[in-house]
Amino acid sequence: MSIDIENILIQYEERYLNSTNDDDKFNYLNLIINVKRDNNINCYKEFKKYIDLYLMTLKGNIFKYDSFDFDQIKKKLSFFSDEEQNDLYNYLKIKLIQDNNESDLKKVKNEINIIQLRLIKKAKFWFFRPKSVFKFLLIISSFNILSIVLSMILMFILEITILLPTNNINHQFFKISYIDYSDFYIWNHILNILSYTFEIDSEIKIVPVNFLGLFIMIFIKIIKWSVILNYLVKNLQSKIEI
């Protein structure tokens, strides 16, 4: 950091600390954040104060609370890492809950979900980790009804893929009793799994042949129930928070 930039920050910080008016404090803090951001200096701590002052000024006499500009907050937060964004959005969420701001709270919660999805996908081979897949599906299902449908479709595709028989004996985890719905093998497999999922035909049976097969079957059922329960709990929780 150059001496000039350091001096500018010192001046702004002194004015910020000496200000007795929240609007002035907010403006000086905004200047500090802009200078630090433009010079690649971390301003995580300052932004927490920024959130506090921003909400306070909006509730004052000059501004109205319904003028909360989520896009402005989002634009400023975009310069932080995903990990920092996740923490700051959660901090903002707590503040909005305290102020009973339901409309903007929904936007913040959705943004937190999006960031957490990015964090999951950052990990190498996340799709092959049961814990990551489980968390990914739970987050997707917490947006709305459409997201639950999408989650169920993804789980069904995952289930079809996992249960697809293989000629390699070492990789056989299930014994499936099929019914001939179609002459096309893959299509017949899909229809059988679909029928099994909705318990349409009791003759279709899927039996684990080893411990790993049993674990996979249990894991699939846990995910299905968790996705539905997660959406119900999230909605109930949001009503309680507000």
Side-chain angles (χ1 to χ4, degrees):
M1 181 169 58
S2 68
I3 296 176
D4 290 339
I5 297 301
E6 187 175 359
N7 288 334
I8 290 172
L9 286 173
I10 290 172
Q11 290 178 19
Y12 286 155
E13 286 169 358
E14 286 178 351
R15 292 175 185 177
Y16 165 77
L17 293 171
N18 293 328
S19 297
T20 56
N21 182 280
D22 286 338
D23 294 325
D24 290 337
K25 276 183 173 290
F26 173 73
N27 289 329
Y28 285 126
L29 188 59
N30 194 34
L31 288 171
I32 292 169
I33 290 171
N34 289 338
V35 170
K36 285 193 170 186
R37 184 192 64 194
D38 293 341
N39 291 275
N40 296 318
I41 303 170
N42 189 281
C43 52
Y44 174 85
K45 291 181 179 179
E46 286 82 3
F47 203 86
K48 274 195 170 183
K49 297 176 184 177
Y50 175 90
I51 290 172
D52 291 334
L53 284 170
Y54 180 64
L55 296 179
M56 286 177 67
T57 54
L58 289 177
K59 290 187 291 183
N61 295 325
I62 299 176
F63 303 99
K64 298 296 182 184
Y65 197 83
D66 58 7
S67 63
F68 177 88
D69 191 346
F70 175 74
D71 291 332
Q72 177 185 331
I73 296 289
K74 184 177 178 179
K75 183 178 179 180
K76 286 184 175 294
L77 278 171
S78 65
F79 292 93
F80 291 94
S81 67
D82 286 336
E83 290 79 7
E84 288 174 329
Q85 284 189 54
N86 185 54
D87 289 342
L88 289 168
Y89 272 118
N90 274 290
Y91 182 76
L92 176 59
K93 182 184 80 171
I94 293 170
K95 293 297 179 180
L96 292 176
I97 289 171
Q98 291 173 350
D99 290 334
N100 296 319
N101 187 347
E102 182 176 2
S103 60
D104 295 308
L105 180 60
K106 290 179 181 178
K107 296 176 186 177
V108 172
K109 284 183 175 179
N110 282 340
E111 196 63 31
I112 291 172
N113 285 335
I114 292 169
I115 293 168
Q116 288 182 344
L117 288 176
R118 289 205 303 264
L119 289 171
I120 291 172
K121 290 189 288 185
K122 274 185 176 181
K124 291 183 179 179
F125 307 112
W126 69 272
F127 194 76
F128 296 100
R129 298 176 180 176
K131 184 179 178 180
S132 296
V133 173
F134 182 68
K135 188 175 180 180
F136 182 85
L137 290 171
L138 284 183
I139 293 172
I140 285 183
S141 66
S142 59
F143 285 100
N144 48 45
I145 292 292
L146 182 61
S147 67
I148 282 190
V149 174
L150 177 61
S151 297
M152 297 302 288
I153 291 173
L154 288 173
M155 282 189 290
F156 182 63
I157 293 172
L158 181 63
E159 187 174 9
I160 288 171
T161 305
I162 291 173
L163 295 175
L164 191 65
T166 175
N167 293 325
N168 189 331
I169 298 177
N170 295 325
H171 294 150
Q172 287 181 356
F173 307 124
F174 311 97
K175 182 179 181 181
I176 304 176
S177 301
Y178 286 101
I179 291 178
D180 294 329
Y181 289 120
S182 171
D183 293 332
F184 183 50
Y185 176 71
I186 299 296
W187 182 236
N188 188 60
H189 173 73
I190 293 172
L191 291 174
N192 271 265
I193 301 305
L194 187 63
S195 180
Y196 174 80
T197 300
F198 291 98
E199 300 180 353
I200 295 172
D201 197 320
S202 59
E203 291 186 22
I204 301 172
K205 298 186 183 301
I206 301 175
V207 181
V209 296
N210 52 36
F211 172 76
L212 185 56
L214 178 62
F215 174 79
I216 291 172
M217 290 294 291
I218 292 173
F219 181 69
I220 289 173
K221 289 185 180 295
I222 288 174
I223 287 182
K224 286 179 180 177
W225 281 106
S226 297
V227 164
I228 297 171
L229 289 173
N230 180 64
Y231 177 77
L232 295 174
V233 169
K234 288 283 186 182
N235 276 270
L236 179 61
Q237 187 179 37
S238 64
K239 294 182 183 300
I240 293 173
E241 287 174 345
I242 299 300

